[in-house]
Amino acid sequence: MKNFLFDLYGTLVDVRTDEDNRKFRKKYAKYFSRIAPQVDFWQRYNEECEKIKADGEHFEPDIFKVFKAVAPAVGEEQLLKAAYTFRKLSRSRLCLYKGARKLLLKLKERGAGIYLVSNAQACFTVPELKKLRLYKLFDGIELSSDFGRKKPSKEFFMHAIQKYGLDIEECIYCGNDFCADIQGASSCGLATAYIKSNISPADDDLQKVKSLANFATSDYKNFVKYLLNII
């Protein structure tokens, strides 16, 4: 296998967020009032989120457009910082799974192409990739908020394949969600590897996943070992 396409959260990175936490909401409202004193952030944020309409199956909005609509008078750079602060304050955990960095580095050392194809918001995820020192490890990064569609959309997978000129026969998609990752990638003819992680969907049944995926496990060491053995 020459090219490895990865999901991010739940596959390489363990993350926990709670945007409904009262302490977070109060703290963020106070933070945003310093940026835009005349704006009731949560009222405006909820109003703009309500305006987002699904545009076809697997539609993925760009949440940064919500921040821009909430405070249009605020400069983009400051709003990007405000968006990431939203994520940072709502987040209680952000770390790599043990073995994830070793996996990526070993794959690169062996000449593999490494690509990120993930359901994620760019205004949150790009800073997190940089914080975790992952950003420069990928040969290409495709996020659903930029594309406008999310996994299991076949369009999203094929967009990445075509953009980087990859041969499907030489690629494997690696993820932790049976529907979004394994079924989605398989619909494009991609080989797949599944890791049942602590934030995989609760109803993912490992035996069912094994019936479709090329490899499936709940042991991260085995996940890493398998991928390193197929290059």
Side-chain angles (χ1 to χ4, degrees):
M1 205 61 71
K2 293 183 179 180
N3 299 296
F4 294 74
L5 286 65
F6 286 93
D7 167 58
L8 183 62
Y9 301 113
T11 302
L12 298 172
V13 173
D14 186 3
V15 68
R16 310 283 175 78
T17 63
D18 182 1
E19 296 174 6
D20 295 323
N21 182 278
R22 291 179 64 183
K23 288 184 179 179
F24 154 66
R25 293 174 71 87
K26 183 176 180 180
K27 190 172 185 178
Y28 191 76
K30 184 177 181 180
Y31 164 83
F32 203 85
S33 69
R34 296 196 293 269
I35 297 171
Q38 306 306 315
V39 175
D40 182 331
F41 175 79
W42 286 109
Q43 179 180 333
R44 291 289 297 117
Y45 179 78
N46 290 333
E47 289 173 351
E48 292 302 324
C49 285
E50 282 294 316
K51 293 179 183 179
I52 297 173
K53 303 293 183 182
D55 181 15
E57 192 176 23
H58 310 312
F59 169 67
E60 177 79 314
D62 181 352
I63 202 69
F64 185 57
K65 292 180 180 178
V66 170
F67 281 86
K68 289 196 285 189
V70 166
V74 177
E76 186 159 311
E77 186 175 336
Q78 193 171 20
L79 271 182
L80 278 170
K81 182 179 179 181
Y84 182 60
T85 300
F86 179 100
R87 171 73 161 190
K88 184 178 179 180
L89 292 179
S90 68
R91 193 179 64 212
S92 59
R93 184 173 179 82
L94 178 71
C95 64
L96 288 168
Y97 288 111
K98 187 177 181 180
R101 177 174 294 281
K102 172 188 173 183
L103 170 61
L104 297 181
L105 291 174
K106 287 286 187 182
L107 289 174
K108 285 191 76 71
E109 285 175 9
R110 298 179 187 184
I114 302 175
Y115 301 89
L116 184 67
V117 182
S118 189
N119 288 350
Q121 291 292 324
C123 60
F124 299 157
T125 298
V126 171
E128 290 181 343
L129 287 170
K130 292 178 178 178
K131 179 180 176 65
L132 294 167
R133 296 183 296 117
L134 290 182
Y135 189 76
K136 293 183 178 180
L137 293 182
F138 293 103
D139 296 294
I141 294 174
E142 299 301 317
L143 303 177
S144 57
S145 68
D146 293 331
F147 184 66
R149 293 286 186 276
K150 61 185 176 180
K151 300 175 297 179
S153 166
K154 186 175 180 178
E155 293 175 277
F156 187 31
F157 288 102
M158 292 308 299
H159 162 72
I161 293 292
Q162 293 165 3
K163 179 175 179 178
Y164 299 106
L166 305 179
D167 183 342
I168 286 178
E169 297 294 324
E170 297 177 342
C171 297
I172 186 167
Y173 190 82
C174 313
N176 75 303
D177 185 308
F178 179 58
C179 176
D181 298 329
I182 306 307
Q183 291 184 319
S186 295
S187 73
C188 302
L190 285 162
T192 57
Y194 172 90
I195 174 66
K196 186 172 179 61
S197 70
N198 59 322
I199 55 176
S200 290
D203 59 353
D204 272 10
D205 179 81
L206 198 55
Q207 292 306 311
K208 184 178 180 180
V209 178
K210 287 180 178 179
S211 70
L212 181 61
N214 295 76
F215 179 79
T217 184
S218 58
D219 187 316
Y220 208 86
K221 287 184 179 179
N222 287 340
F223 180 65
V224 170
K225 183 178 179 180
Y226 172 79
L227 294 177
L228 292 178
N229 282 341
I230 62 173
I231 184 170

